[in-house]
Amino acid sequence: MRFATRVLLLQLATVAAVVVVSCVVFLLLGIQQLRAEAENSALNIARTIAADPDVRTEVTRISADPGTPAAADLVDGPLQTYATAITSTTGTLFVVIADDHGIRLAHPDPALLGQEVSTDYREVLAGNEVVTWETGTLGVSARAKVPIYPLDASERGANASPVGEVSVGFEPASVFDDLPALALAISAVAASALAIGLIAALLLRRRFERLTLGLQPEDLVALLQNQSAVLGGVGDGVLALDPDGVVRVCNRTAADLLGVGDVVGRRLAEIGLPTVVVDAVADGTARDGVVVGGRVLYVDSRPVQREGRPIGDVLIVRDRTMLVGLSERLESVRVMTGALRAQRHEFANRMHVAVGLLDADRADDARSFLGEQLARGPVDYPVAHLDLISDAALQSLIGAKAIEAGERGVQLSVAADSLLVPQLDDLEDVAAVLGNLVDNAVSAAVRGAEPREVEIGCYGDDMRLVLTVEDSGPGLDVDDPFAPRDIETGADASTGAGDEDRVHGWGIGLRLSRELARRRGDVWVIDRGRTAGSARGAVFGARLEGVLRPARRNEDTP
């Protein structure tokens, strides 16, 4: 049996029990009220008869006679006539008048006149009124007994004694004439209460099933256990929203990735998440490359329905910082590999020329050619002042970037005041940081006016490497909605990479470069560019510690 059905039956049983108990109580109260009304009516009628002057005079006269009155005299006597009239008028069962010895002076059955009453009369003759249910010669009745005093009782005061009694009774049938109507009314109320209880129980059951989407408590328990296991076991962040946009579920991974605390019960738009995350939920789409708190995240929002009814949205959050970082490093390795491939190709061409000269017995020309190539260097990259950088790998990286920039119409050069004598000890981080800065600068220069240029500055001592990258682009302007925003403000765009470029992978490189650089130093904005009439674009700086190989000391130096 389903839980909702059990609850419904329990509610109906409870309502039925309450209704039955209430009906019994009301019925008992009704019976008690009818009994009390009959007793009060009998008492009032008896008091009225006992106070009648004729009755008091006649009873006093008969009681004064020491003998027993004859029944024949009582049948047509004034008391019998009076009692008969009262009985027919009031609808009582009987009106009995007796003297101070309990002898009936008036009775519905004339045959019993002149005989002693069948019930105790001593308490009444002692001056007390008695109201009770008793069984007499006419059966069970609700009766009231009132003493009859002589007319001069007020003159006698406390010494006056009753000279007789009046007993008035109602039969049970007349007392409980209204009981069927009362029982019918109580039954109607009980049926109405049961119907209301049934309707309320059905409505509660329907409401319960709507709230639980038809799930039973055991299903909810299993669902909670599964949810806890899944949310605690998966590596992705999960954030669930109800149809009103209120967070209902947020596992620890999602809270850590999004940089929020306890957000359950709060609206998504009020917890300080980037606009791109809120828009992803509103659109029900996936967004890649979202930078939150120094992490590069992938967010995917999907609406959830059950039986065609929308019940909210689920936001999946994945940390792609390490993956993007590895991709950036892989890109740097790819660029370096391309540079080495070009260098190898150039070296092979030179060797072919040298071999050709030797095969032609032109040894002097071959010697002159090789000497010239030795003086020119390994590969002729179109980069001015590249010779100021002594590290061959860094030269190759800059040369490869220069070739890529040239394909986009941007001239890449090394600053004339650059000076880098030590060799690189950790090329990967340098390549990732410098590659990102150069790529973003080239993108910014493409958006600028002619001439499109990017200048790299390299400065190093024994351990520290300082890089500067300047472009001829439009610079950083936070007032321009399509312009990149400063990384110092926590934005997720980079130099020259506006919102319209994110679909091509731009917009997170600068932030990623900064995260990589912070392991050894930092990345910052030196100049926003295009200020005070300057034609120069933005200038970024990077400082990396411990990426240079310390110079070897001369062993002969004391």
Side-chain angles (χ1 to χ4, degrees):
M1 184 182 295
R2 292 167 61 87
F3 176 79
T5 304
R6 294 199 300 268
V7 171
L8 175 63
L9 295 178
L10 179 61
Q11 290 174 334
L12 292 178
T14 303
V15 172
V18 172
V19 169
V20 169
V21 172
S22 300
C23 290
V24 171
V25 171
F26 283 127
L27 186 60
L28 293 177
L29 291 176
I31 293 174
Q32 185 65 28
Q33 183 177 4
L34 293 176
R35 289 169 60 97
E37 290 178 355
E39 292 171 356
N40 290 333
S41 298
L43 180 61
N44 292 330
I45 294 173
R47 286 175 177 175
T48 301
I49 296 173
D52 187 90
D54 295 336
V55 173
R56 295 170 67 181
T57 302
E58 185 67 17
V59 173
T60 301
R61 184 187 65 80
I62 296 175
S63 296
D65 188 354
T68 301
D73 297 334
L74 297 175
V75 171
D76 297 326
L79 295 179
Q80 179 69 10
T81 303
Y82 179 76
T84 303
I86 293 297
T87 301
S88 61
T89 302
T90 59
T92 58
L93 176 62
F94 62 84
V95 173
V96 176
I97 302 175
D99 62 6
D100 55 353
H101 294 91
I103 301 302
R104 300 183 180 94
L105 305 179
H107 193 278
D109 187 359
L112 298 178
L113 293 175
Q115 299 179 13
E116 187 177 355
V117 296
S118 60
T119 57
D120 187 14
Y121 56 89
R122 288 173 297 178
E123 185 176 355
V124 181
L125 293 179
N128 299 319
E129 294 179 345
V130 177
V131 178
T132 183
W133 286 72
E134 289 182 330
T135 302
T137 56
L138 298 178
V140 178
S141 62
R143 61 185 64 189
K145 300 177 182 180
V146 177
I148 300 175
Y149 290 94
L151 288 176
D152 59 351
S154 59
E155 297 176 358
R156 299 180 185 181
N159 295 324
S161 299
V163 294
E165 70 165 356
V166 176
S167 177
V168 177
F170 285 92
E171 60 179 341
S174 63
V175 172
F176 299 114
D177 283 343
D178 296 333
L179 186 60
L182 178 63
L184 181 61
I186 294 176
S187 300
V189 173
S192 301
L194 287 175
I196 294 174
L198 176 60
I199 295 174
L202 292 175
L203 291 177
L204 287 176
R205 175 184 178 181
R206 181 179 179 184
R207 178 62 176 171
F208 175 80
E209 291 188 344
R210 281 179 61 86
L211 290 176
T212 60
L213 302 178
L215 298 177
Q216 300 303 303
E218 54 272 16
D219 300 330
L220 295 177
V221 172
L223 183 62
L224 178 61
Q225 293 174 344
N226 296 336
Q227 173 183 300
S228 300
V230 171
L231 294 181
V234 299
D236 296 338
V238 179
L239 191 144
L241 310 173
D242 64 9
D244 296 329
V246 179
V247 179
R248 295 305 180 189
V249 176
C250 181
N251 65 350
R252 175 53 54 186
T253 304
D256 294 340
L257 292 178
L258 297 176
V260 296
D262 186 8
V263 297
V264 176
R266 299 172 57 188
R267 299 184 67 86
L268 181 67
E270 299 174 355
I271 60 179
L273 292 179
T275 305
V276 64
V277 178
V278 180
D279 292 343
V281 175
D283 300 339
T285 57
R287 303 293 176 91
D288 197 3
V290 179
V291 180
V292 179
R295 290 188 175 95
V296 181
L297 306 179
Y298 169 82
V299 295
D300 185 8
S301 176
R302 298 182 181 180
V304 180
Q305 295 183 350
R306 180 179 176 85
E307 298 179 355
R309 173 188 172 192
I311 60 175
D313 299 272
V314 174
L315 185 67
I316 306 298
V317 184
R318 296 189 180 98
D319 188 0
R320 297 192 59 197
T321 305
M322 184 175 294
L323 178 61
V324 175
L326 292 175
S327 299
E328 295 292 339
R329 291 187 176 184
L330 181 61
E331 178 63 19
S332 300
V333 172
R334 185 192 65 78
V335 173
M336 293 174 59
T337 302
L340 293 176
R341 185 180 296 108
Q343 192 176 60
R344 174 182 174 278
H345 181 70
E346 180 67 17
F347 179 77
N349 290 337
R350 293 179 182 181
M351 290 300 98
H352 283 306
V353 173
V355 170
L357 292 175
L358 292 176
D359 290 342
D361 294 330
R362 298 170 58 183
D364 294 338
D365 294 337
R367 186 179 294 107
S368 176
F369 173 77
L370 291 175
E372 180 182 354
Q373 298 305 314
L374 181 62
R376 290 175 56 187
V379 178
D380 292 333
Y381 289 112
V383 181
H385 307 121
L386 186 60
D387 55 336
L388 298 178
I389 300 175
S390 60
D391 187 87
L394 187 56
Q395 284 185 357
S396 300
L397 175 63
I398 296 176
K401 289 294 183 182
I403 295 175
E404 292 182 354
E407 295 175 353
R408 303 180 64 183
V410 178
Q411 179 67 37
L412 185 66
S413 63
V414 176
D417 59 349
S418 297
L419 180 60
L420 181 60
V421 176
Q423 301 295 309
L424 293 180
D425 189 45
D426 189 347
L427 182 61
E428 288 187 1
D429 284 348
V430 175
V433 173
L434 181 59
N436 269 307
L437 292 177
V438 171
D439 289 340
N440 291 337
V442 170
S443 298
V446 169
R447 296 177 58 198
E450 294 285 352
R452 298 182 175 90
E453 298 175 342
V454 173
E455 186 179 73
I456 303 173
C458 298
Y459 313 91
D461 54 17
D462 287 343
M463 295 296 293
R464 182 185 299 107
L465 173 64
V466 178
L467 303 172
T468 62
V469 178
E470 175 185 346
D471 61 69
S472 61
L476 296 173
D477 185 5
V478 295
D479 295 331
D480 181 3
F482 294 101
R485 290 172 285 177
D486 188 353
I487 59 172
E488 294 175 348
T489 65
D492 56 359
S494 55
T495 303
D499 292 343
E500 71 278 8
D501 291 330
R502 285 184 195 163
V503 295
H504 303 295
W506 306 107
I508 60 174
L510 186 56
R511 294 298 301 273
L512 190 60
S513 298
R514 190 177 192 183
E515 293 301 320
L516 292 174
R518 277 181 171 174
R519 302 175 186 175
R520 300 177 179 270
D522 200 1
V523 172
W524 68 96
V525 178
I526 299 176
D527 188 358
R528 292 179 176 273
R530 300 297 179 184
T531 58
S534 174
R536 185 175 66 176
V539 181
F540 287 86
R543 183 183 71 256
L544 301 174
E545 304 283 350
V547 296
L548 297 179
R549 188 177 305 158
R552 294 182 180 179
R553 303 182 63 180
N554 193 339
E555 296 178 357
D556 297 334
T557 302

